[in-house]
Amino acid sequence: MSQALRDDASTASTAARTLSPVHTVAAQGHDARPVQVGSGRRRWQRTLSRCMLVTDAGAITVAFVVAYLVRVGPWPTPAPPGRLEYWIVSAGFVLAWLTAMAVFRTRDHKLLGAGAAEYQAIGKATFFVFGWIAILALLLKADLSRGYLLLAFGIGFTLLLVSRKVWRLWLRARRTERRFVARTLVIGGVRSARTMASRFDSDPASEFAVIGLWVPDRSAGPDESIEVGAATIPVRGMETELGSVLDLGGIDTVVVTDTEHLGHDGMSELAWELEGRDIDLLVAPNIADVAGPRIHVDAHGAMPLIYLSEPTYSAARTLRKAFFDRAVALCILLVSAPVLILGAVAVRLSGPGPIFYRSERIGAHGIPFQMLKLRTMVDGADGRRAALEREHDGAGPLFKLVDDPRVTRVGRLLRRYSIDEIPQFVNVLKGEMSVVGPRPPLRSEVDLYDDTVRRRLLVKQGITGLWQVSGRSDLSWEDAVRLDLTYVENWSMLRDLHIIARTAKAVLQARGAY
């Protein structure tokens, strides 16, 4: 990593950890010298983008070098008349690919660490380049080896995705240390600002760190602040003018969370005040847990309006989803059969009781079914639950116990690596469950559901889901419900594939299971 990047990271880290700048507004007053804020973030963004350009160029070059060696060999010979010189072609393709990566803004700061959006931009640039290469080769009747192109495409695309994944993990690690973050001023109400700051604080990959709140339509107390996690966020009110708030050193981003606090004229004035300050302006629509594909922005009457498409849970009941579930379940059962057999033998040898545990769960539309698992508790464990109710670590209807005395030694090992859940793929084959979906609830839990939580039953319950890959047993009841509802309202096949991939990682790391 370059020295400039480390220096910029240190600068950003120092400013991001300083939560007191808003207190300096009163001391600076209206005559305070304007501070060119945001420049620190721009420096590390530019430096990081240049470092990514180097790794992108390296990945693409390696791809074409390998393709060249396979097609031509290590000792190139002059091409016969009318044949292409592959080393010249390779150099041209490298430049074309890098140009497409720039045109599609794959290193734009808005995509840094964004995951799917970043990968999507790389995919668009890659398919654009190779699409045009194929078209031009056909039109010019160029004698270009298809194997050479396929090899360069496969290696290059894979290396690009891997390198961006490495950069994403690196950036995520830095942001957990509050480095490489956007120091954010929130404009709006206290309640919505607290919610927003809490969401940012709970997301280790979040780019935003709230360092101040300005409520422009009411006065604030001299020492008013809000507590979010370990941070104390100062609050300023109408006694502080907009220009004075924006002159604070270190602010990179302004987020307006309640536009009614500013009104139309206030929003225009805010946009004018930000001119030349190198500060990003974002407007939060106060819409939580709605996926991007359901959000569409259009302008009417010179005002941007957000269209929210209907929830997509009906698509989760299609034939395509059912076929996908059964195909995945059958493959996993075949591949994991040896592990399942060993687990069953271990359960049998661990003590008296059946090998499989059957538990009534409530499925889609409230239809009960018998969910299968390898038995991980002592025989008759359900009868001892009432005695443990006071000690459980859950919240709401959810019952969970970190050190449940009913779990056997073999059971703890099976749970740690989710081996006990393999028989649930039989439920998937029978059509009672899905591979991905909300957590299967007990009847006693469903009896306590309100109308909102009951929406979890609109789709089939899953072996894994957003709750599984976001913390598993470590989640609170409220977080588990929120994630399940997010999944139900925003289902897509691509999201299912992403959750399955994340589940495999969570299981291998034995994270959040007990």
Side-chain angles (χ1 to χ4, degrees):
M1 197 61 56
S2 69
Q3 182 62 41
L5 191 55
R6 287 193 293 268
D7 292 343
D8 290 335
S10 177
T11 302
S13 174
T14 301
R17 289 194 302 266
T18 305
L19 295 175
S20 59
V22 175
H23 289 297
T24 66
V25 173
Q28 288 177 333
H30 305 315
D31 297 327
R33 183 178 180 180
V35 179
Q36 185 64 30
V37 298
S39 58
R41 184 183 60 151
R42 296 299 186 202
R43 279 199 302 271
W44 69 253
Q45 285 175 347
R46 287 192 295 266
T47 307
L48 185 57
S49 179
R50 286 193 291 267
C51 290
M52 286 183 171
L53 173 59
V54 173
T55 57
D56 289 347
I60 295 172
T61 301
V62 167
F64 279 102
V65 166
V66 172
Y68 178 88
L69 292 175
V70 172
R71 174 65 177 81
V72 181
W75 307 107
T77 56
R83 295 293 184 89
L84 294 172
E85 287 283 2
Y86 270 86
W87 70 269
I88 297 178
V89 171
S90 297
F93 287 165
V94 169
L95 292 177
W97 202 343
L98 287 174
T99 301
M101 295 279 285
V103 170
F104 283 87
R105 304 178 67 85
T106 61
R107 292 178 292 274
D108 187 273
H109 75 274
K110 297 182 181 66
L111 296 180
L112 296 181
E118 188 176 11
Y119 302 149
Q120 186 178 28
I122 294 173
K124 288 180 179 179
T126 301
F127 283 97
F128 175 83
V129 168
F130 280 85
W132 273 105
I133 289 175
I135 292 173
L136 292 176
L138 181 63
L139 293 177
L140 300 176
K141 298 181 180 180
D143 183 17
L144 199 59
S145 169
R146 288 189 294 269
Y148 163 81
L149 290 178
L150 287 173
L151 194 60
F153 170 84
I155 296 176
F157 190 44
T158 301
L159 289 179
L160 285 173
L161 295 181
V162 170
S163 69
R164 289 308 179 87
K165 177 66 173 180
V166 172
W167 276 114
R168 186 182 176 193
L169 293 175
W170 181 87
L171 188 59
R172 183 188 182 97
R174 301 291 80 75
R175 283 176 173 169
T176 58
E177 303 167 356
R178 311 318 295 158
R179 300 163 63 185
F180 295 93
V181 294
R183 292 148 291 181
T184 303
L185 172 70
V186 175
I187 298 178
V190 173
R191 185 175 65 176
S192 56
R194 179 183 284 108
T195 300
M196 177 175 292
S198 299
R199 290 289 186 97
F200 293 156
D201 185 66
S202 62
D203 181 6
S206 175
E207 175 187 357
F208 304 103
V210 179
I211 65 170
L213 167 62
W214 184 50
V215 186
D217 56 357
R218 73 160 178 83
S219 298
D223 298 314
E224 185 175 348
S225 62
I226 58 176
E227 303 291 332
V228 176
T232 300
I233 301 175
V235 178
R236 284 293 176 265
M238 59 189 301
E239 71 279 355
T240 306
E241 293 184 356
L242 174 61
S244 298
V245 176
L246 295 177
D247 284 339
L248 299 174
I251 292 179
D252 299 311
T253 303
V254 170
V255 178
V256 180
T257 183
D258 289 320
T259 55
E260 67 270 18
H261 288 267
L262 285 173
H264 295 293
D265 293 338
M267 286 296 298
S268 298
E269 291 177 9
L270 174 62
W272 297 335
E273 286 283 355
L274 293 182
E275 288 182 1
R277 294 176 179 269
D278 201 15
I279 298 177
D280 289 336
L281 174 61
L282 290 80
V283 179
N286 286 330
I287 301 172
D289 301 322
V290 178
R294 289 183 56 202
I295 298 176
H296 310 276
V297 181
D298 200 357
H300 295 274
M303 292 190 305
L305 299 177
I306 297 178
Y307 287 88
L308 290 183
S309 301
E310 291 184 1
T312 56
Y313 49 77
S314 60
R317 301 193 292 263
T318 59
L319 182 62
R320 178 182 57 164
K321 167 78 166 172
F323 176 79
F324 172 80
D325 283 338
R326 286 171 170 81
V328 171
L330 183 60
C331 291
I332 291 180
L333 283 173
L334 291 175
V335 171
S336 63
V339 176
L340 180 59
I341 293 172
L342 289 176
V345 172
V347 171
R348 171 58 68 191
L349 297 176
S350 65
I355 294 176
F356 294 102
Y357 170 73
R358 290 174 172 81
S359 174
E360 184 193 60
R361 299 299 172 106
I362 305 301
H365 309 294
I367 300 174
F369 68 96
Q370 295 294 316
M371 189 181 74
L372 292 174
K373 296 180 68 174
L374 286 176
R375 183 174 57 85
T376 58
M377 293 185 176
V378 296
D379 192 24
D382 287 343
R384 297 173 55 185
R385 173 172 170 169
L388 299 171
E389 285 286 351
R390 294 182 179 179
E391 303 176 23
H392 84 97
D393 303 297
L398 184 63
F399 176 86
K400 60 182 180 180
L401 201 59
V402 176
D403 295 314
D404 196 324
R406 301 173 298 169
V407 180
T408 64
R409 293 178 61 183
V410 170
R412 293 192 185 280
L413 179 62
L414 297 178
R415 286 188 173 198
R416 184 173 180 83
Y417 295 100
S418 299
I419 299 173
D420 61 316
E421 297 180 5
I422 295 177
Q424 292 176 36
F425 288 102
V426 175
N427 293 114
V428 176
L429 288 178
K430 294 169 64 177
E432 298 169 333
M433 292 181 65
S434 176
V435 175
V436 182
R439 187 186 64 83
L442 297 166
R443 183 181 294 274
S444 60
E445 297 175 12
V446 175
D447 290 342
L448 299 176
Y449 283 180
D450 57 23
D451 291 340
T452 299
V453 181
R454 193 171 292 275
R455 295 181 66 84
R456 299 170 74 246
L457 304 179
L458 289 172
V459 299
K460 289 181 181 179
Q461 312 307 290
I463 297 175
T464 186
L466 280 176
W467 52 274
Q468 174 90 331
V469 298
S470 302
R472 303 175 79 185
S473 299
D474 293 331
L475 288 176
S476 66
W477 163 251
E478 291 79 9
D479 287 338
V481 169
R482 179 178 61 82
L483 291 172
D484 279 345
L485 293 178
T486 298
Y487 173 83
V488 171
E489 301 284 340
N490 302 284
W491 178 86
S492 70
M493 187 63 72
L494 183 61
R495 172 168 283 200
D496 274 8
L497 293 173
H498 185 219
I499 290 173
I500 290 172
R502 291 179 61 188
T503 299
K505 180 180 178 181
V507 169
L508 291 175
Q509 294 178 342
R511 188 175 66 241
Y514 47 82

